[in-house]
Amino acid sequence: MTASLSLAMIFPNFAAAESNFAFGGGPLTADASVDFRITIPRILFFQVGTPGGTVDLIDFAPAAADVGSGIAVAGTGGDATGGAVNVNVRSNAGQVTIAQNSNGVSLTDGTNNIPFTEILTASSNAAGLDAPALGSAATITPSVASSLTSESAVWTYSYANTNVMPASIYTGTVTYTASAP
């Protein structure tokens, strides 16, 4: 008994669990409660193209007779093929904003440039997850419900082909950025 009292004095919260004691001659009940808490962290998941760090290539090759004709050229490549990429965004951190960084940048061969405004993007889910226009300062805001965003789309790219350009291979990279408050 002395040892038990000594331990209780050393560890005063040791026996702090809720408990009840019932006694008597009839039916007995004793209740004890447990509190629960779940802490959900803020998250923002964003994927454009192949998951896992692969940067997809969208390739355009207008036919010689169509160069600069204004006839849009479909792309090839992308994880959704046909010049398209799968896009997913999920967040529980409020309204998400998606921007792209091609402003003032062009596809280049080192000497000549094609502005990113010549690359058009169509979304399979324009109401929920539209694509920001390349070559502009445009941003988009995916659909959000009760501070939750969960949208997916396929973004398909085409080359507007409105200018005759010198024969070459033009390359450039666009980085999309998703942000939540």
Side-chain angles (χ1 to χ4, degrees):
M1 179 86 159
T2 304
S4 295
L5 286 173
S6 297
L7 280 174
M9 294 173 121
I10 294 171
F11 301 106
N13 293 327
F14 186 69
E18 181 179 9
S19 62
N20 283 314
F21 182 72
F23 62 93
L28 303 174
T29 61
D31 293 329
S33 299
V34 175
D35 290 333
F36 292 91
R37 175 175 38 200
I38 299 173
T39 303
I40 306 292
R42 290 169 39 98
I43 62 150
L44 174 59
F45 170 78
F46 185 48
Q47 171 195 340
V48 178
T50 303
T54 300
V55 177
D56 290 293
L57 173 66
I58 307 297
D59 199 10
F60 304 100
D66 292 333
V67 170
S69 68
I71 296 172
V73 177
T76 61
D79 74 318
T81 69
V85 293
N86 288 291
V87 182
N88 295 291
V89 62
R90 288 190 306 272
S91 179
N92 64 358
Q95 181 64 65
V96 174
T97 301
I98 298 174
Q100 50 76 38
N101 76 343
S102 66
N103 303 342
V105 181
S106 300
L107 295 103
T108 185
D109 67 354
T111 303
N112 302 295
N113 300 309
I114 298 175
F116 270 108
T117 54
E118 285 286 302
I119 307 295
L120 309 175
T121 313
S123 175
S124 65
N125 180 9
L129 184 57
D130 204 2
L134 301 183
S136 72
T139 61
I140 58 125
T141 53
S143 293
V144 63
S146 300
S147 299
L148 300 176
T149 300
S150 183
E151 292 290 343
S152 61
V154 175
W155 289 351
T156 304
Y157 299 93
S158 60
Y159 170 49
N161 189 28
T162 59
N163 298 307
V164 175
M165 297 299 300
S168 190
I169 296 174
Y170 298 82
T171 60
T173 301
V174 171
T175 301
Y176 294 95
T177 302
S179 304

